[in-house]
Amino acid sequence: MRSRFEEQLTRLNAELIDMGTLIEHAIVESTQALAVRDVVRARTVIALDRDVDQKEREIESLCLKLLLQQQPVARDLRFISAALKMITDMERIGDQAADVAEIVTMLSGGHEGEFPQIQEMGGETVKMVRGAIDAFVRRDLTLAEWVIDMDDKVDGLFVAAKDALIELLRRDAGAGELALDLLMISKYLERIGDHAVNIAEWVVFAITGVHKEG
């Protein structure tokens, strides 16, 4: 019975990695679509959100089977419970990457390449998401805490992007619509960082039994 349980836990890890790969891809593709004004690429991210939602349902079903059929001990119960919490944040990351892509399809254009902070936010949030999921699979408390600490960097990039957009409006009063769109994109990326932190905090709970919100 225990060997069957271990097999299912291994499958859970693999499914979480798969879902993590999907949302990492969504973040990368949405920010790259912004960088080159690629509407077709942006639309693929919007379509990808359905795959993320399906993966969430599959993992939720697996977790519930583990809980109901296997009667896990306390440590295993924490990991399964943490996985259920994590996939909610992962699904929301997929939603927000799709929201970024949706804005890209409607951008008025003209200045978006002037804001490297936004591209850097995308790159840093991918690292955070990947790190949080790796921390769960590897039971790595240090890596989970690194992800939590990374949130300050993403928040700083958001502030820098916001300041740069304010400066754009000072230079070009007609860029208001674009500035608002780019501010929304920056905010979605900042929220993705927050969700990565939430995932890492559930990893800490799974390892230590203590959940401390940031």
Side-chain angles (χ1 to χ4, degrees):
M1 180 69 78
R2 181 67 193 181
S3 62
R4 171 65 175 159
F5 182 70
E6 293 291 347
E7 288 175 5
Q8 290 179 313
L9 281 180
T10 299
R11 182 186 162 201
L12 174 59
N13 286 341
E15 294 285 354
L16 283 166
I17 291 170
D18 287 348
M19 188 173 182
T21 300
L22 284 173
I23 59 176
E24 288 174 28
H25 182 64
I27 300 166
V28 170
E29 288 297 295
S30 60
T31 52
Q32 286 299 310
L34 170 64
V36 297
R37 289 298 307 283
D38 189 335
V39 172
V40 173
R41 199 171 190 175
R43 286 177 180 150
T44 65
V45 177
I46 297 168
L48 183 65
D49 193 41
R50 291 193 295 271
D51 296 334
V52 174
D53 292 345
Q54 177 61 31
K55 185 61 69 174
E56 180 194 26
R57 289 190 290 269
E58 291 171 1
I59 295 173
E60 183 178 48
S61 176
L62 176 58
C63 287
L64 292 176
K65 285 179 183 177
L66 283 164
L67 290 171
L68 294 173
Q69 296 175 7
Q70 302 294 344
Q71 297 180 324
V73 297
R75 181 178 174 84
D76 292 331
L77 180 61
R78 289 203 309 270
F79 276 99
I80 297 165
S81 300
L84 278 169
K85 296 290 188 179
M86 287 166 58
I87 59 174
T88 298
D89 282 292
M90 292 168 74
E91 188 273 335
R92 288 175 182 165
I93 288 170
D95 285 345
Q96 284 156 357
D99 288 336
V100 170
E102 185 73 37
I103 294 173
V104 171
T105 67
M106 300 181 291
L107 272 180
S108 57
H111 295 276
E112 62 271 20
E114 300 174 16
F115 302 97
Q117 305 92 341
I118 297 176
Q119 293 299 320
E120 190 175 356
M121 285 179 76
E124 295 303 323
T125 56
V126 166
K127 292 177 189 176
M128 290 174 72
V129 170
R130 185 182 300 128
I133 296 164
D134 285 351
F136 180 85
V137 171
R138 290 155 45 186
R139 312 306 194 239
D140 189 331
L141 184 61
T142 299
L143 183 55
E145 290 173 340
W146 174 84
V147 172
I148 294 168
D149 290 341
M150 279 288 290
D151 194 42
D152 288 340
K153 182 173 184 179
V154 172
D155 288 347
L157 287 167
F158 173 70
V159 172
K162 183 170 62 173
D163 289 345
L165 289 166
I166 291 170
E167 179 58 31
L168 169 64
L169 289 175
R170 290 196 183 113
R171 299 194 323 264
D172 183 356
E177 182 178 350
L178 175 65
L180 181 58
D181 286 340
L182 293 177
L183 180 62
M184 287 299 299
I185 286 172
S186 300
K187 188 61 181 175
Y188 283 131
L189 292 172
E190 190 263 343
R191 287 177 181 168
I192 287 172
D194 289 342
H195 286 302
V197 169
N198 289 347
I199 294 168
E201 287 172 346
W202 284 112
V203 174
V204 172
F205 165 76
I207 296 169
T208 67
V210 176
H211 182 256
K212 182 179 179 181
E213 296 184 2

